[in-house]
Amino acid sequence: MICWSVASAFAKDAPKFPVSAISEEMKKDVNVVYREDQAVFSIITRSKALYHVHQVKTILNANAKGNASEAVFYDKLKKITSLKATVYNAEGFEIAKLKNSDIQDRSVFDGITLFSDSRVKSFDLSQGTYPYTIEIEYDLEFKFLFFIPDFYVTVGEKGSVEHSLYRLEYSAANLAPRYKTYNLPKQPATEKRPDGSGSISFEFTNVKPLKLESYSDDRYQHQYIEAAPTNFEYESYVGTMDTWDNFGLWINSLNKGRDVLPEATKQKVRSLAAQGKTDEEKIKIIYEYLQGKTRYVNIRLGIGGYQPFEASVVDQTGYGDCKALSNYMVAMLKEVGIKAHYALIFSGDEHLEIDPKFPQTQFNHATVCVPLKKDTVWMECTSQTDPFGYQGTFTGDRQALIITDNGAKVVNTLRYPAEKNLQTRTADVFLQLTGDATAKVKTTYSGLKYEDDGLNFILNNQFDEQKKWLQRVIDIPSFDITSFKMQNHKDKIPSAEVAVDLSLKRFATVSGKRVFITPNLMNRSAFVPEKTESRKTKVVLHNAFVDLDTIRYHLPEGIYPEFLPKPVTLKSRFGEYQADFKLDQNDLIYVRRLKVQRGEYPAESYAEFMDFFKSLNRADNTKLVFLSKT
């Protein structure tokens, strides 16, 4: 933090942005007020654009301290031409200006990037006395026209905006950008001039804080604008983005001629493919060859952020980024007569839709798709451990753009239904009169459950790391691990078996002749949806799954249940829950089944959503009381 003297508070210049000028309405329940939030993107030619940002933020308290820092990214094709910042005290008098010595200029390094020309200039002008105002202004020069920065009107749950402006300017009619808006209260002002130039302006005043609703997609909540060029150029690669087909043709132009393999490798993959009887078997053999031969590194150098290395380079070096490894896989399959498609996707937690009418640069990952007669195979070429054909949460259940010879096609990736995402647990718990117990637990995780708490990565780790993982994820108040074993089954719907023996000290509570236990051993729900008085957006659940627990309690001689709870059955549009208790000679058997459905549900269903999980929580925490005959 940089602290400044307030000696200059009585500067000769008139005050700017005094806090007193902010209305009480805009300060209510917020940490920061954006006095100005302006962004102007000016398209000069199909390979040049200017971007001007001007923000004035009044930071009311320490919770908004992060707003006093800024990071501006640049590279050889995106140049920072100016960067300024000024700090004002509560009365609006200047107390500091950004100096070169305040700016950190460093390479953007994430630990997995091998080559990158990305850099960032950053600074922090936070103060120790609140409130204060920071004015930030910078300009960028783009030496390409491939994407246009988005603009968010709302700035979060604890920020308000007095004035906001997003303007798109263009110098010729054929350079006019396209735009798409979300949740905006009004349309933009447009201007078309006789020479073909023009502008599109979005302007807003007195924007209130946004109250985000849990279990809802951003597209239903934020007010924001996406923009995209139509005609563009990127390091001499000229293209159009008016249709997805034309976008795909441009990607083809980047990849053209980069699928040539060395002769020795051609012979190698042909011999490997000969070992498979079906196309799917051949693909699997070659995919596993790729996994064993290559490793993933990130490459970010100009057009190299979108253009893959030649297949021959990957073959020689043994490494590449997602684009290069996917291109290499497509080339190897082509050599054995199997048509595969290079595919673009937005990977990770967000499930972005691809609008068929609004082509834009919205992808962060490349993968491979092979349409077969009976099935479609997807391959994650950056992983050395992923099971063949498994997409999981990284690229599954979303839309992707496969690049075809004639352009592109929007397709859906694999969706894993609830019954495929299965966690099955069986346990034998041997209870002692003292309240201590031992347990033998076996859990099978399949489908998306294979990734729970990073299990898919832990399966490939050493014993000590696996034990640490178990100690972290086992949800029992007090336990010791006496032994464990993990098995990995790398199928298209993968599964893993985890067997663990536990020593449970003071598992049961003993009080006189009574012994108390919670029969749900290690799968108790604690999730409580946030209370919302008037839900405005849809309830969105992305993952579906089934949990099945069967716990057998071996009771010591001389104790018996005071009573058995009645079976619990819960049903809602979001899922189903059952819990049952029964005696089998001197054993108590507890069976629990929970099924959660994926989907989008109307806003008015949120009360039902809350009630379902509240009831589930109560059922999961049911206690049993045993009486001792002695």
Side-chain angles (χ1 to χ4, degrees):
M1 182 181 74
I2 301 173
C3 294
W4 306 92
S5 169
V6 296
S8 59
F10 300 100
K12 60 182 179 179
D13 296 332
K16 294 177 67 177
F17 315 115
V19 177
S20 60
I22 306 173
S23 69
E24 291 302 316
E25 184 182 29
M26 298 305 289
K27 289 189 292 186
K28 183 179 179 181
D29 295 328
V30 303
N31 300 323
V32 59
V33 179
Y34 279 63
R35 320 291 289 277
E36 288 289 346
D37 188 12
Q38 299 185 18
V40 179
F41 190 85
S42 303
I43 300 172
I44 311 303
T45 69
R46 68 184 184 189
S47 61
K48 182 180 179 181
L50 304 176
Y51 187 48
H52 176 74
V53 173
H54 179 214
Q55 292 182 331
V56 180
K57 297 175 279 188
T58 293
I59 298 166
L60 299 176
N61 54 57
N63 293 322
K65 178 181 176 181
N67 287 275
S69 61
E70 187 65 60
V72 184
F73 294 85
Y74 70 101
D75 53 43
K76 71 173 186 177
L77 297 177
K78 188 168 60 175
K79 179 183 177 183
I80 301 174
T81 56
S82 72
L83 177 59
K84 299 182 292 184
T86 306
V87 183
Y88 305 92
N89 65 10
E91 289 73 34
F93 292 103
E94 178 185 314
I95 56 174
K97 273 190 178 295
L98 179 69
K99 303 189 297 292
N100 286 335
S101 58
D102 300 326
I103 301 172
Q104 287 188 326
D105 189 347
R106 63 185 188 278
S107 175
V108 178
F109 180 70
D110 55 13
I112 58 173
T113 300
L114 184 63
F115 301 118
S116 175
D117 58 1
S118 296
R119 297 189 64 83
V120 60
K121 288 188 176 184
S122 61
F123 60 85
D124 182 354
L125 293 180
S126 57
Q127 305 293 298
T129 302
Y130 299 93
Y132 61 90
T133 298
I134 181 168
E135 181 177 21
I136 299 171
E137 196 167 6
Y138 62 86
D139 292 278
L140 292 170
E141 180 181 312
F142 288 68
K143 297 180 181 179
F144 63 93
L145 183 62
F146 186 50
F147 70 88
I148 297 173
D150 297 340
F151 185 82
Y152 279 75
V153 180
T154 47
V155 295
E157 292 189 285
K158 291 294 183 177
S160 61
V161 183
E162 287 190 321
H163 180 252
S164 175
L165 172 69
Y166 179 55
R167 178 176 293 136
L168 301 167
E169 298 180 342
Y170 53 95
S171 62
N174 67 333
L175 296 175
R178 297 166 294 115
Y179 64 89
K180 182 179 179 180
T181 65
Y182 296 82
N183 308 312
L184 295 193
K186 59 182 180 180
Q187 293 299 308
T190 60
E191 180 184 7
K192 293 183 179 180
R193 306 181 188 99
D195 63 355
S197 65
S199 66
I200 306 163
S201 299
F202 301 83
E203 192 166 10
F204 309 90
T205 56
N206 297 331
V207 181
K208 300 292 180 59
L210 176 66
K211 176 59 177 175
L212 293 174
E213 296 181 331
S214 58
Y215 289 87
S216 181
D217 281 352
D218 277 358
R219 67 181 186 273
Y220 299 135
Q221 302 191 74
H222 287 281
Q223 295 180 3
Y224 65 103
I225 304 144
E226 294 176 340
T230 299
N231 298 298
F232 66 94
E233 182 176 340
Y234 201 135
E235 286 204 24
S236 78
Y237 286 89
V238 177
T240 56
M241 208 183 290
D242 55 341
T243 67
W244 283 118
D245 277 336
N246 282 333
F247 183 92
L249 290 174
W250 185 77
I251 296 294
N252 274 334
S253 72
L254 297 185
N255 297 358
K256 185 177 181 181
R258 293 176 174 263
D259 60 352
V260 179
L261 296 170
E263 190 58 40
T265 302
K266 292 180 180 180
Q267 295 177 14
K268 176 67 176 179
V269 295
R270 287 197 295 266
S271 67
L272 288 171
Q275 301 171 23
K277 295 180 181 179
T278 66
D279 280 354
E280 184 167 318
E281 288 179 358
K282 294 175 182 179
I283 297 167
K284 182 179 180 182
I285 291 169
I286 294 174
Y287 175 71
E288 291 176 349
Y289 170 72
L290 170 89
Q291 287 183 304
K293 178 180 173 64
T294 63
R295 69 186 191 280
Y296 169 76
V297 296
N298 196 13
I299 310 293
R300 285 200 300 256
L301 288 171
I303 194 70
Y306 301 95
Q307 184 178 58
F309 280 178
E310 294 91 341
S312 58
V313 173
V314 177
D315 187 78
Q316 179 183 359
T317 62
Y319 63 72
D321 62 10
C322 62
K323 303 177 298 297
L325 296 174
S326 296
N327 178 67
Y328 183 50
M329 186 67 191
V330 170
M332 289 193 291
L333 292 176
K334 178 182 177 182
E335 183 58 33
V336 298
I338 296 176
K339 179 66 174 179
H341 295 284
Y342 183 85
L344 300 177
I345 199 165
F346 194 92
S347 61
D349 293 335
E350 290 189 69
H351 293 221
L352 298 186
E353 291 186 346
I354 298 177
D355 187 337
K357 297 181 180 180
F358 191 73
Q360 61 172 320
T361 310
Q362 64 178 82
F363 310 103
N364 64 359
H365 190 57
T367 186
V368 174
C369 172
V370 186
L372 299 176
K373 290 182 179 180
K374 295 183 178 180
D375 199 3
T376 297
V377 174
W378 292 86
M379 285 168 287
E380 179 50 59
C381 298
T382 63
S383 173
Q384 295 174 297
T385 59
D386 272 5
F388 167 72
Y390 177 66
Q391 286 194 288
T393 59
F394 189 56
T395 57
D397 193 16
R398 68 198 69 201
Q399 292 179 311
L401 189 75
I402 61 172
I403 307 304
T404 67
D405 294 339
N406 299 317
K409 184 179 179 181
V410 177
V411 299
N412 293 316
T413 64
L414 298 178
R415 175 178 293 175
Y416 300 88
E419 289 74 15
K420 297 292 185 182
N421 308 319
L422 184 62
Q423 176 184 292
T424 306
R425 174 174 290 126
T426 59
D428 286 280
V429 181
F430 300 87
L431 187 63
Q432 301 172 22
L433 286 171
T434 60
D436 294 343
T438 60
K440 292 181 175 294
V441 185
K442 180 181 177 181
T443 310
T444 300
Y445 305 83
S446 62
L448 299 181
K449 287 287 186 175
Y450 178 76
E451 301 180 39
D452 271 11
D453 297 300
L455 172 61
N456 53 323
F457 296 109
I458 290 296
L459 291 166
N460 301 292
N461 281 10
Q462 299 298 314
F463 177 89
D464 288 346
E465 292 301 315
Q466 291 180 341
K467 187 172 183 179
K468 289 178 183 177
W469 181 85
L470 285 168
Q471 290 169 331
R472 178 170 58 86
V473 303
I474 292 176
D475 190 14
I476 299 176
S478 178
F479 67 91
D480 289 313
I481 298 172
T482 54
S483 67
F484 72 89
K485 182 180 180 181
M486 295 186 179
Q487 291 181 297
N488 189 7
H489 304 285
K490 297 175 66 174
D491 303 316
K492 288 178 73 174
I493 302 294
S495 64
E497 293 177 3
V498 179
V500 59
D501 291 349
L502 301 171
S503 173
L504 308 174
K505 295 295 185 182
R506 297 179 298 279
F507 173 73
T509 300
V510 180
S511 177
K513 291 187 175 184
R514 283 179 168 80
V515 179
F516 302 84
I517 70 166
T518 303
N520 188 328
L521 180 66
M522 49 193 293
N523 199 9
R524 301 173 200 169
S525 172
F527 167 65
V528 179
E530 182 182 359
K531 186 177 181 180
T532 303
E533 295 296 335
S534 179
R535 179 83 178 192
K536 295 181 175 61
T537 60
K538 294 180 181 179
V539 180
V540 181
L541 302 179
H542 285 301
N543 293 331
F545 64 88
V546 174
D547 283 356
L548 181 60
D549 295 79
T550 303
I551 315 297
R552 178 181 284 266
Y553 287 92
H554 301 268
L555 305 177
E557 291 291 336
I559 75 167
Y560 60 94
E562 186 173 37
F563 71 94
L564 283 183
K566 293 181 180 180
V568 179
T569 300
L570 305 173
K571 289 188 177 181
S572 79
R573 69 185 85 189
F574 307 101
E576 302 171 357
Y577 174 90
Q578 290 175 302
D580 193 18
F581 312 83
K582 68 178 181 179
L583 284 175
D584 180 17
Q585 296 181 1
N586 205 43
D587 293 346
L588 172 76
I589 302 174
Y590 167 75
V591 179
R592 174 191 187 267
R593 183 181 187 272
L594 171 64
K595 179 180 180 180
V596 173
Q597 301 279 21
R598 73 176 302 281
E600 295 187 359
Y601 305 93
E604 57 268 23
S605 70
Y606 190 73
E608 180 186 344
F609 180 65
M610 293 176 62
D611 290 342
F612 177 68
F613 280 95
K614 286 179 180 178
S615 299
L616 190 162
N617 292 348
R618 285 194 296 269
D620 270 358
N621 287 279
T622 296
K623 290 189 180 296
L624 293 184
V625 183
F626 298 91
L627 290 174
S628 173
K629 295 178 181 179
T630 60

